[in-house]
Amino acid sequence: MTNPGPQAATTGDVSSRWGGLFRTKSVEQSIRDTDEPDSKLRKDLTAWDLTVFGVAVVVGAGIFTLTARTAGNVAGPSVSLAFVFAAIACGLTALCYAEFASTVPVAGSAYTFSYATFGELVAWIIGWDLILEFALAVAVVAKGWSQYLGEVLGTTSPVVHFGSVSFDWGAVLLIAVLGVLLATGTKVSSRVSAVAVAIKLGVIALVLVVGATYFKTSNLTPYIPPSQAGEEGEGLRQSLLSYLTGAGQSNYGWYGLLAAASLVFFAFIGFDVVATTAEETKNPQRAIPRGIIGSLLIVTVLYVAVSLVLTGMVPYTELAGKDATLATAFAINGATWVKNIISIGALAGLTTVVMVMFLGQTRVLFAMARDGLVPRGLARTGKNGTPVRITALVGVACALLAGFVDFGTLEEMVNIGTLFAFVLVSVGVLILRRTRPELPRGFRVPLVPYVPVLGVLACLWLMLNLSVETWLRFVVWMAIGFVVYFAYSRRHSVLRKTPIQ
């Protein structure tokens, strides 16, 4: 056994002073836990599979709806530049995820990374945060999928009403089918995801080709329209930054461009889910960084290309309003037949988003169960090497949410949860570089500490642009998490029961 060194002693001292709340779980122990027979995940995934998962989860309905609305209401033609700014901010964090996942190739993503750097309490907080993020994402996107299904079906609505209660059977059906696929095996899920990705990429390619025939360079002028006073939420609906500074909001201009970058950043959310599959990946030190960075580059090119074609098809003022979509630009040019094709592409896109978010939720809970922070029995894997119990539990919970709950503004909770995880991962890279410099890293973030620090600043800026209402809900959810930790998780922690070496 190697000498634990000064870091181990320091960890022990901190653990003693704080009752073990900040005791870290070593990278070596996390990797050893992956070999437990009853909770062993099957290693089936390659760099290609991970790239498919990344593209699958990021390219969703946002490319068909968010692009048009942001161009019409906030940034004008410069929405394409906003995507570049957002991609840069996202890329800073992606590099940090790539280093962590190649160093700690264990299920759980930001939860596992936090356990190795900040200690158990912070790991629990981020795990609790990710539970909310993924569960809401699965339910919200499944409801969006159901809406597109209604458009494709035409006369048949996927929502039925029982008095004052509404039941969205379309969303529930999607979650049930995907739950069965995920329980069957991650490799099978990857193959299904690849088919759906091929469909939506084909639709996007058609949109680009047809849209180019209506392209007019004059529609891109002015590229950054003159600034105009814009409507702003009042009270708890205004952004935290606006609440703290009393600043007004304007559309278009440079301020509108930066605001648009904050909006379209959320179109990239989901690439971090790739890191949750590290334990199921062959040669994760090479495959994980390639999957994360490769998928981010692909979707950035797609977003910029679509936004350029869209704003070149029609004047940006024609896309103003809450109902503008990619199909709006084609309808203005008389190509209404494209609408149905876009709906099919959106269905395929949302299917893969739900699948990969569902996968991420189960893997985070799996890692927490293996550590005893939630019941350990949930960490048992079935004959296909997947956590069947957790998959079923998550499926039922998300189906109930999607089937019966009207989310409204709760969607922003997904954003704040994701950004919070991004901040911790970026800071964690700096900490692990200092405390464990000898660890083998399949990928290293360049220009440390500048890249992680810039990633933190970018994420904090985006968090400040979220509403006060969202921040208050986030604080309440975190407070509930503290209660659960001290009432159950702290007493059942496997690490807490292990003597400090």
Side-chain angles (χ1 to χ4, degrees):
M1 179 180 295
T2 58
N3 188 337
Q7 175 56 31
T10 301
T11 302
D13 293 342
V14 173
S15 180
S16 299
R17 286 198 299 270
W18 293 92
L21 296 180
F22 298 100
R23 184 179 175 189
T24 58
K25 182 179 180 181
S26 71
V27 173
E28 292 81 0
Q29 183 58 53
S30 294
I31 294 174
R32 283 196 297 270
D33 287 348
T34 65
D35 291 325
E36 292 184 7
D38 292 338
S39 58
K40 188 178 180 65
L41 297 172
R42 182 177 296 174
K43 293 182 179 294
D44 284 332
L45 303 178
T46 64
W48 171 252
D49 293 317
L50 300 184
T51 302
V52 168
F53 273 144
V55 175
V57 71
V58 178
V59 181
I63 202 167
F64 301 108
T65 57
L66 181 63
T67 305
R69 293 173 190 170
T70 305
N73 300 315
V74 183
S78 65
V79 67
S80 55
L81 184 56
F83 272 112
V84 174
F85 287 168
I88 292 172
C90 202
L92 296 171
T93 309
L95 293 172
C96 296
Y97 266 93
E99 174 167 327
F100 251 129
S102 68
T103 309
V104 193
V106 179
S109 186
Y111 160 77
T112 301
F113 307 156
S114 296
Y115 218 152
T117 50
F118 300 102
E120 183 173 283
L121 179 60
V122 177
W124 165 262
I125 291 171
I126 198 63
W128 185 251
D129 165 64
L130 291 174
I131 288 172
L132 175 69
E133 173 198 337
F134 287 135
L136 284 180
V138 169
V140 168
V141 180
K143 290 182 79 70
W145 182 91
S146 184
Q147 291 176 352
Y148 275 103
L149 178 65
E151 291 186 14
V152 173
L153 294 177
T155 57
T156 304
S157 172
V159 179
V160 294
H161 302 278
F162 303 98
S164 60
V165 178
S166 298
F167 176 66
D168 192 332
W169 61 262
V172 172
L173 176 64
L174 175 66
I175 292 173
V177 171
L178 295 182
V180 172
L181 281 174
L182 290 173
T184 301
T186 310
K187 188 68 174 181
V188 175
S189 305
S190 174
R191 290 170 180 166
V192 172
S193 186
V195 173
V197 167
I199 293 173
K200 65 181 174 183
L201 291 184
V203 171
I204 291 172
L206 179 64
V207 164
L208 291 175
V209 171
V210 176
T213 63
Y214 300 103
F215 189 90
K216 296 179 181 178
T217 54
S218 58
N219 289 329
L220 298 180
T221 304
Y223 184 68
I224 301 178
S227 178
Q228 297 179 12
E231 295 182 358
E232 182 178 17
E234 298 180 353
L236 298 181
R237 288 298 303 140
Q238 64 183 312
S239 73
L240 181 62
L241 180 65
S242 175
Y243 177 80
L244 294 174
T245 63
Q249 179 178 349
S250 62
N251 293 335
Y252 311 122
W254 280 101
Y255 185 92
L257 171 59
L258 295 176
S262 295
L263 292 174
V264 301
F265 174 88
F266 304 126
F268 291 94
I269 283 179
F271 78 87
D272 56 308
V273 180
V274 173
T276 68
T277 63
E279 195 173 323
E280 298 161 87
T281 303
K282 302 173 185 176
N283 193 7
Q285 286 75 16
R286 290 170 60 89
I288 293 288
R290 290 180 179 181
I292 291 176
I293 298 172
S295 59
L296 186 60
L297 288 174
I298 291 171
V299 299
T300 299
V301 171
L302 289 176
Y303 279 139
V304 172
V306 169
S307 58
L308 278 175
V309 169
L310 171 69
T311 51
M313 290 177 64
V314 295
Y316 68 91
T317 52
E318 298 290 332
L319 300 173
K322 296 181 179 180
D323 299 324
T325 66
L326 195 57
T328 303
F330 287 94
I332 292 173
N333 283 284
T336 54
W337 59 273
V338 179
K339 178 181 179 181
N340 291 333
I341 296 177
I342 290 176
S343 295
I344 293 172
L347 274 178
L350 293 180
T351 298
T352 57
V353 173
V354 175
M355 176 185 288
V356 182
M357 289 293 189
F358 195 156
L359 174 68
Q361 172 74 292
T362 60
R363 291 336 184 239
V364 170
L365 269 176
F366 171 80
M368 297 175 74
R370 191 160 55 188
D371 292 333
L373 301 187
V374 297
R376 290 202 75 196
L378 294 175
R380 289 187 177 273
T381 52
K383 62 180 181 179
N384 295 319
T386 59
V388 178
R389 295 180 181 180
I390 286 180
T391 303
L393 177 65
V394 170
V396 170
C398 291
L400 289 174
L401 285 172
F404 295 100
V405 177
D406 182 16
F407 288 94
T409 57
L410 282 179
E411 296 161 357
E412 283 192 8
M413 292 291 287
V414 178
N415 302 335
I416 195 169
T418 302
L419 289 166
F420 182 55
F422 285 4
V423 168
L424 286 184
V425 169
S426 298
V427 174
V429 165
L430 297 176
I431 294 176
L432 203 62
R433 283 281 189 99
R434 175 177 287 271
T435 59
R436 299 296 306 275
E438 81 288 355
L439 283 174
R441 291 166 167 83
F443 176 85
R444 298 177 70 89
V445 177
L447 300 176
V448 170
Y450 304 109
V451 168
V453 169
L454 288 173
V456 170
L457 294 176
C459 292
L460 290 177
W461 168 256
L462 294 168
M463 291 176 76
L464 285 173
N465 281 279
L466 294 173
S467 68
V468 176
E469 183 180 40
T470 298
W471 275 92
L472 290 176
R473 287 170 174 165
F474 182 67
V475 170
V476 170
W477 176 255
M478 289 293 108
I480 295 172
F482 276 104
V483 173
V484 175
Y485 175 76
F486 286 103
Y488 177 89
S489 303
R490 188 183 181 205
R491 293 186 292 111
H492 292 83
S493 167
V494 173
L495 185 66
R496 185 176 175 79
K497 296 176 182 177
T498 304
I500 297 177
Q501 301 296 322

